[in-house]
Amino acid sequence: MTENPTPVILTELTDDGVMLLTLNRPERHNAWTLEMELLYNELFDRAEADPAVRAVVLTGAGRSFCPGMDMSVLDGASSGASPWPTDRLPPRTRPMSFPKPLVAAVNGACAGIGFNQALMCDVRFAVPDAKFAAAFSARGLVAEDGVSWILPRLVGYGNASDLLLSSRRITGTEALAMGLVNRLVEPAELLPTAIAYATRLASSASPYAMSLIKRQLADDQSRSFTESRDSAAALLATAKRAPDYREGVRSFIERRQPEFAALGAPPASETASVLRGEPSS
């Protein structure tokens, strides 16, 4: 009987509720394939539904994070022979709708689709010598997956224009200077640091509150200050009725670690109505 091949994405769940997702094609520098994309979306769906998962760290096996689409796929697409079923796949933006904290640990080359996926994470840690590149203009393509919306909000319009128009590579050091990454970490400490950060979120922050804050950050990009303020007031009223508020206050008064429940469906459904502007009950 033939053994199952090694998965193109590895998963590991720590005792503290941090799911480690590792892009796992090191012999190809973790270049993106259809198999990887399908599994990627499936694993995010599983992580969202699993109450044991409170945060996710995304990284790459070997010396790279993800340099973009595999060359064999690019070659097929440029000749019109690609089997990629674009019209039957969901948008390549799954991290944007993921309600739990998502941390990228960028350990090397990060370009194209890999660049986009890193940008869609909530927080990015990188090694100083990591190489970032949008790379689309150099392939005759446009900025994909909404990255032209995300990038200016991270690094400013001028830096975003520079990176997208030129496709030039920048190091982790330059990425930190322009705000593309949150922190630089030496290679040996990158993954432990990212997991430790995610563990702090998983153990000390309310999963319910973090899901609300992630939604606020996304929705407020297109709102005025007044709209943002009014939405926050409605969300605050909803949050104060949830158990996490009582536990957060009680644990602070009692000077102990909070014991927040896993992210659950009932609060999330009530929150969704508030975010849509519907009156709360």
Side-chain angles (χ1 to χ4, degrees):
M1 188 170 71
T2 305
E3 294 185 1
N4 291 329
T6 304
V8 293
I9 304 177
L10 302 177
T11 62
E12 180 182 350
L13 181 63
T14 72
D15 293 339
D16 299 304
V18 176
M19 174 68 77
L20 176 61
L21 297 182
T22 305
L23 305 179
N24 188 45
R25 300 183 70 228
E27 75 286 353
R28 300 288 294 173
H29 299 280
N30 307 316
W32 200 267
T33 63
L34 177 58
E35 180 186 8
M36 183 179 283
E37 179 155 332
L38 294 173
L39 182 56
Y40 188 76
N41 282 289
E42 179 184 332
L43 291 174
F44 270 103
D45 289 344
R46 288 188 207 167
E48 179 170 342
D50 187 351
V53 178
R54 294 194 172 219
V56 172
V57 172
L58 176 65
T59 193
R63 297 181 293 109
S64 298
F65 181 77
C66 174
M69 194 73 75
D70 190 270
M71 289 301 295
S72 63
V73 179
L74 285 175
D75 184 54
S78 65
S79 63
S82 174
W84 202 281
T86 304
D87 58 339
R88 299 195 300 276
L89 291 175
R92 198 177 289 124
T93 54
R94 184 63 178 89
M96 297 294 286
S97 61
F98 188 64
K100 303 176 183 182
L102 178 56
V103 180
V106 182
N107 54 313
C110 179
I113 292 172
F115 181 81
N116 293 358
Q117 295 305 314
L119 262 57
M120 291 179 201
C121 294
D122 302 307
V123 178
R124 284 157 296 282
F125 295 169
V127 298
D129 291 335
K131 298 294 190 297
F132 294 87
F136 303 111
S137 67
R139 307 288 180 266
L141 299 172
V142 300
E144 297 180 305
D145 305 329
V147 72
S148 57
W149 185 92
I150 302 171
L151 191 57
R153 287 165 168 79
L154 291 175
V155 302
Y157 189 92
N159 284 325
S161 297
D162 169 27
L163 295 177
L164 290 173
L165 293 174
S166 70
S167 288
R168 73 182 182 90
R169 293 189 302 173
I170 61 171
T171 65
T173 302
E174 187 174 355
L176 178 67
M178 67 172 60
L180 184 63
V181 300
N182 300 82
R183 191 184 306 177
L184 291 186
V185 186
E186 291 303 317
E189 296 301 318
L190 176 65
L191 203 52
T193 300
I195 292 175
Y197 176 85
T199 299
R200 284 198 301 275
L201 298 182
S203 61
S204 63
S206 158
Y208 176 52
M210 289 191 290
S211 72
L212 300 187
I213 291 169
K214 287 192 63 167
R215 195 71 256 146
Q216 283 181 285
L217 286 167
D219 290 349
D220 286 354
Q221 297 298 319
S222 58
R223 287 176 172 152
S224 68
F225 170 76
T226 302
E227 291 170 331
S228 174
R229 179 199 64 196
D230 293 347
S231 174
L235 282 173
L236 182 62
T238 301
K240 283 185 173 180
R241 292 195 297 272
D244 281 13
Y245 174 61
R246 293 188 292 276
E247 172 60 14
V249 172
R250 188 177 298 113
S251 63
F252 177 73
I253 293 172
E254 296 173 359
R255 300 191 179 190
R256 60 172 174 81
Q257 189 78 358
E259 297 179 1
F260 294 119
L263 194 60
S269 62
E270 182 179 5
T271 301
S273 67
V274 175
L275 288 168
R276 290 193 298 269
E278 301 169 3
S280 57
S281 56

